[in-house]
Amino acid sequence: MAKFIDRVVLHVRAGNGGHGCASVHREKFKPLGGPDGGNGGNGGDVVLEVDANVHTLLDFHFHPHAKAGNGKPGEGGNRDGKKGSELRLLVPDGTVVLDSDGEVLMDLVGPGNQFVVAKGGRGGLGNAALVSRARKAPGFALLGEEGETRDVVLELKSVADVGLVGFPSAGKSSLVSVLSAAKPKIADYPFTTLVPNLGVVQTGDTTFTIADVPGLIPGASDGRGLGLDFLRHLERCAVLAHVVDLATLEPGRDPLSDIDALEAELAAYKPALRGDASLGDLADRPRVVILNKADVPEAEDLADLVTPELRERGWPVFRISAVTHAGLRPLTFALAEMVQQYREAHPKAAPKRPVIRPIAVDDSGFTVVPDPEEPGGFLVRGTRPERWVRQTQFDNDEAVGYLADRLARLGVEDELVRLGAEPGAPVTIGDMTFEWEPQITAGTDIVPTGRGTDVRLEQTDRVSAAERKHASRVRRGLVDDEEDRE
């Protein structure tokens, strides 16, 4: 028998983007062939998709690590790298995706519903794509971005119309077995049911699903018994049915006290789903009371005693016997009617259309703030500048100069000047910290130099650290400035 798993931690990693290629076309009788480096391929995404044939998270329990394919690097001859293979993970209907802090990222309901849990990295541009009027033959290419890495929690919340609630051994599994074709395990000891069982019930023209949730006990909302593990399977149920054992011999238990105890647990439990994915708190759901095991002689008198008080609470009450099938037909028609009323009051939402949100005209795409840990320093935050830094080859001066041009065109340098940044001030973008040199601006004519170099990086009037140290030694009389110069 397959093991039921309804909560797993999944470690996902999207594919890295391929590096761009820095290449120059070389062919006989074709001088000045020019740059022909291709772009790197994008990394593959990790996608979760609902599949109607998947009913458990068992595969992720044994294989919790998932990684998409990396993009291939570009090549000479204007050949772009191949895109990384996408990794598509199939999950059951009703899977909720949460981040490591417990925030709901996505509620996957309905076959075919998808969620990109980790985005693949962009491929780097080759030098053929970096040609400009001022830079005829770039001696560098952009690096590929790393793919996203995330740890997410997958929780399976059963998608059922009616949820059966009751103490252990109340007869919930027996009821599911006679109302539907499901065959759950049935035995005469508590907590026989360790996993939720789903059954499909056909009544007239209405078809609905019914869920047998493992037995609850007082303190379930605080984790006693199997409460916290399976109370979440009731979050999607439109109707809750109390299954009461009329033949229990346990001291201190009776139908009213059992219902009151479970109602307290339902009120104390706070569903994780909110908004469109939730039906509200469990205490607000429609109720029905099922008095089971009415075939026992002593049970008839007890049912007559408690039925009036239960009906005063506004709940329909049904006496049934899962063994003799007595009272099942009125019960199924009543449940079908309640489910139908809910469906009419809550029609299925139309498929969500993609929403395109244009960038505001005054949105610069970055922010510059003082660095709280570095006096006189600044932090530059933004998707584009951080991505540009990740794609730069810092061992190539020409690539660093190209980065400076891009940042200046974006307006980072003007913003630093406005905030009073001094030459040499440490500026942090992403994981890199630079000493700011204001003379490296966009629009400056690029002096042709050797490939992979940028003469502007060597042009600075700022006093170097060695010169400041020498001047300090001169002031203290440790060295003679005139003799040192000779």
Side-chain angles (χ1 to χ4, degrees), residues 13-18 41-44 67-72 82-85 147:
R13 181 173 183 178
N16 299 332
N42 294 332
K67 185 179 184 302
N70 295 329
K72 301 298 182 181
K82 184 180 178 181
K83 292 179 60 176
S85 57

Side-chain angles (χ1 to χ4, degrees), residues 181-213:
K183 299 301 178 185
K185 181 180 179 181
I186 300 173
D188 59 351
Y189 54 85
F191 294 110
T192 305
T193 302
L194 297 178
V195 300
N197 297 299
L198 286 178
V200 179
V201 183
Q202 176 71 42
T203 302
D205 297 332
T206 303
T207 300
F208 61 92
T209 54
I210 187 168
D212 164 27
V213 178

Side-chain angles (χ1 to χ4, degrees), residues 168-404:
S169 299
K172 300 183 297 299
S173 298
S174 301
L175 183 57
V176 170
S177 68
V178 297
L179 291 181
S180 67
K183 299 301 178 185
K185 181 180 179 181
I186 300 173
D188 59 351
Y189 54 85
F191 294 110
T192 305
T193 302
L194 297 178
V195 300
N197 297 299
L198 286 178
V200 179
V201 183
Q202 176 71 42
T203 302
D205 297 332
T206 303
T207 300
F208 61 92
T209 54
I210 187 168
D212 164 27
V213 178
L216 303 177
I217 60 176
S221 60
D222 295 327
R224 290 193 62 192
L226 302 175
L228 278 181
D229 291 334
F230 296 109
L231 269 172
R232 63 172 170 264
H233 289 279
L234 298 173
E235 291 189 27
R236 303 185 195 275
C237 296
V239 179
L240 298 182
H242 281 289
V243 180
V244 179
D245 184 3
L246 291 176
T248 181
L249 299 178
E250 295 184 24
R253 280 188 54 188
D254 61 80
L256 294 178
S257 63
D258 286 358
I259 293 175
D260 291 339
L262 294 181
E263 281 293 321
E265 298 305 319
L266 295 177
Y269 178 73
K270 298 300 181 184
L273 298 181
R274 289 291 185 268
D276 296 338
S278 175
L279 302 179
D281 291 337
L282 296 180
D284 300 330
R285 310 290 170 84
R287 299 285 200 276
V288 62
V289 178
I290 302 174
L291 302 178
N292 193 20
K293 304 181 184 180
D295 54 306
V296 179
E298 296 81 2
E300 195 69 27
D301 296 336
L302 183 58
D304 292 336
L305 182 63
V306 300
T307 298
E309 185 171 346
L310 292 174
R311 286 177 177 168
E312 288 179 1
R313 302 185 184 186
W315 297 339
V317 181
F318 296 89
R319 303 183 193 182
I320 69 156
S321 172
V323 175
T324 65
H325 296 190
L328 294 183
R329 185 174 178 82
L331 172 63
T332 55
F333 277 98
L335 293 177
E337 183 180 357
M338 296 177 71
V339 171
Q340 189 63 30
Q341 291 175 356
Y342 167 79
R343 292 174 179 174
E344 293 175 356
H346 302 80
K348 289 186 177 180
K352 294 183 179 180
R353 297 180 179 180
V355 178
I356 300 176
R357 302 185 186 278
I359 300 176
V361 175
D362 57 349
D363 184 8
S364 62
F366 71 95
T367 58
V368 180
V369 297
D371 192 340
E373 299 181 357
E374 184 73 29
F378 294 88
L379 298 175
V380 179
R381 297 178 179 140
T383 302
R384 282 188 289 177
E386 291 177 5
R387 182 174 70 242
W388 294 344
V389 167
R390 290 193 298 268
Q391 292 183 320
T392 300
Q393 305 176 40
F394 286 98
D395 57 351
N396 186 309
D397 289 347
E398 190 177 359
V400 176
Y402 177 70
L403 172 64

